[in-house]
Amino acid sequence: MALPKSPLPTSIASQQHDHTQCIATAMTQAQEICTHNGARLTRLREQVLRLIWQSHKPLGAYALMDMLAQESTRRVAPPTVYRALEFLLEQGLIHRINTLNAYIGCTHPSAHHANNFLICEHCGVAIEFSTQSLQDNINQTARDLGFSIKAQSIELVGCCDRCEASRHD
Amino acid sequence: MALPKSPLPTSIASQQHDHTQCIATAMTQAQEICTHNGARLTRLREQVLRLIWQSHKPLGAYALMDMLAQESTRRVAPPTVYRALEFLLEQGLIHRINTLNAYIGCTHPSAHHANNFLICEHCGVAIEFSTQSLQDNINQTARDLGFSIKAQSIELVGCCDRCEASRHD
DNA sequence: AAAATTTATGTTATTATATAACATAATCTT
DNA sequence: AAGATTATGTTATATAATAACATAAATTTT
Ligand SMILES: [Zn+2]
Ligand SMILES: [Zn+2]
Ligand SMILES: [Zn+2]
Ligand SMILES: [Zn+2]
């Protein structure tokens, strides 16, 4: 079974774009992936994923808890939201940004996930990226050092093109 | 003024080696770098750095606190050790491993620090690495996406050669 | 050298992030 | 419907980090 591909060019998150489309696509893909994996995208999990997708800025677990409380007068305790996050991570629907202790929707959910992000200090947007040559380079470097990779996290913190432009206005 | 170069081949941390030499070199370099930077490597900071260098395994701030207490019957509170860590990070003498919330000695302290590590799940060793082609690739990728990098963190979690070998004995 | 300034450390309290352990509810399987 | 499994609720606690203010040590100025 072929899973759908992401419609997002790598760096669109930092540009103006139709974000309702991002959300719609993410939710549709999530449902398809969960069905494909025989996993249940429950109301809570769906709700958490939708909240994460409200922007391209990573959100912390406690921010999500507050948003849940606001949105539905349903106040959940930490374990509840962490379990939803754990599920979404397992399904490859979100990533954890280690430098921020925060979570963000995956723009190309599929079986294998490199976890590569550009993180703008100014606007907070995290842009997922991946190129074959970079991945080849990483893999070759690890091989040269006799290391077998189980999980990969590349986080580049700096300033995105949009913020750079707006600072020179 | 030329700063000393690291004597460590990239991946030695996962091999058997004379670790007292690692420690001695690290402490000497640290003193030189601080002098060069007009910074003060106080007794506490020196002690924390030495504790971090007791192995090639990243240590958490609270583990360091316990070790300080054991070593010198000096029990320090969190802010004290965090301030020492902050200083050592600023001087480029240690790195923070984001996936572990832990700190490790830098094997090639100098002005610019890519923060690239192989982290073995089995033995806990973190191996700092860097190749020019990988860095070129990262820089080119960021440039293509209009992103200017301020800080870089690559963390590859998996299994090192030594552990891989010992599992097939 | 004494005074003033800066830098470093000590101390107490608090914030932020995440998990353990156990109870209840919902869903799936037979 | 009964039993098994999975998901969520609940309470308490662990782990990581910082804020705010006090004291001490080192450096600079007079
Ligand atoms: Zn969008
Ligand atoms: Zn930005
Ligand atoms: Zn060593
Ligand atoms: Zn290992």
Side-chain angles (χ1 to χ4, degrees):
Chain A
M1 173 183 179
L3 292 175
K5 291 214 159 195
S6 165
L8 270 188
T10 301
S11 66
I12 199 171
S14 68
Q15 309 296 332
Q16 278 190 318
H17 64 281
D18 179 12
H19 187 62
T20 58
Q21 188 56 49
C22 292
I23 299 175
T25 305
M27 299 315 293
T28 303
Q29 289 191 354
Q31 188 56 68
E32 288 172 351
I33 287 169
C34 286
T35 301
H36 177 256
N37 292 348
R40 284 164 55 199
L41 189 61
T42 62
R43 183 164 111 64
L44 175 71
R45 291 164 174 175
E46 207 259 4
Q47 193 177 8
V48 169
L49 182 59
R50 190 179 298 275
L51 286 173
I52 288 176
W53 267 102
Q54 284 199 355
S55 77
H56 290 279
K57 304 177 188 184
L59 288 175
Y62 283 74
L64 284 166
M65 284 174 55
D66 293 344
M67 292 164 80
L68 280 169
Q70 278 211 313
E71 162 161 308
S72 53
T73 43
R74 142 149 79 165
R75 168 147 299 279
V76 304
T80 301
V81 75
Y82 276 103
R83 280 185 293 226
L85 291 170
E86 185 183 24
F87 172 87
L88 296 170
L89 285 167
E90 279 168 1
Q91 299 300 316
L93 299 173
I94 64 173
H95 291 286
R96 184 174 196 279
I97 306 290
N98 292 315
T99 56
L100 300 175
N101 295 337
Y103 305 84
I104 190 169
C106 178
T107 49
H108 54 269
S110 70
H112 296 94
H113 287 81
N115 203 348
N116 303 342
F117 285 92
L118 306 174
I119 302 160
C120 179
E121 302 181 293
H122 302 98
C123 65
V125 164
I127 304 163
E128 192 167 355
F129 72 98
S130 187
T131 70
Q132 192 58 51
S133 71
L134 174 58
Q135 197 55 52
D136 289 346
N137 206 314
I138 292 274
N139 293 341
Q140 184 59 49
T141 302
R143 201 157 35 234
D144 290 346
L145 297 175
F147 190 89
S148 65
I149 300 174
K150 295 269 177 55
Q152 171 177 324
S153 163
I154 301 183
E155 299 183 6
L156 308 180
V157 178
C159 187
C160 75
D161 51 357
R162 194 132 185 255
C163 286
E164 195 67 58
S166 71
R167 300 172 99 201
H168 294 306
D169 281 349
Chain B
M1 173 181 178
L3 292 174
K5 291 214 157 192
S6 168
L8 271 186
T10 300
S11 65
I12 199 173
S14 68
Q15 309 297 331
Q16 277 190 318
H17 64 282
D18 177 10
H19 187 61
T20 58
Q21 189 57 50
C22 292
I23 299 175
T25 305
M27 299 314 293
T28 303
Q29 289 191 354
Q31 188 55 70
E32 288 172 351
I33 287 169
C34 287
T35 301
H36 177 257
N37 292 348
R40 284 165 53 200
L41 189 62
T42 61
R43 183 163 112 66
L44 175 70
R45 290 163 175 174
E46 207 260 2
Q47 194 177 9
V48 170
L49 182 60
R50 191 178 297 275
L51 286 172
I52 288 175
W53 267 102
Q54 284 200 355
S55 79
H56 290 280
K57 305 177 187 182
L59 288 175
Y62 282 74
L64 285 166
M65 283 173 56
D66 293 345
M67 292 165 80
L68 279 170
Q70 279 212 311
E71 162 160 311
S72 53
T73 43
R74 143 148 81 166
R75 169 148 297 281
V76 305
T80 300
V81 74
Y82 276 104
R83 281 185 293 225
L85 291 170
E86 185 182 25
F87 172 86
L88 296 171
L89 286 168
E90 280 168 359
Q91 299 300 316
L93 299 174
I94 63 173
H95 293 285
R96 183 174 196 279
I97 306 291
N98 293 314
T99 55
L100 300 175
N101 294 338
Y103 305 84
I104 190 169
C106 177
T107 48
H108 53 270
S110 71
H112 296 92
H113 287 82
N115 204 348
N116 303 342
F117 285 93
L118 306 174
I119 303 160
C120 178
E121 303 180 294
H122 302 98
C123 64
V125 165
I127 304 163
E128 191 166 356
F129 71 99
S130 188
T131 69
Q132 192 58 53
S133 72
L134 173 57
Q135 196 55 53
D136 288 347
N137 206 314
I138 293 274
N139 293 341
Q140 184 59 50
T141 303
R143 203 157 34 235
D144 290 347
L145 298 174
F147 190 88
S148 64
I149 301 173
K150 295 268 177 55
Q152 171 177 323
S153 162
I154 302 183
E155 299 181 7
L156 308 179
V157 178
C159 187
C160 75
D161 50 359
R162 192 132 185 257
C163 287
E164 195 66 57
S166 71
R167 301 173 99 202
H168 293 306
D169 281 348

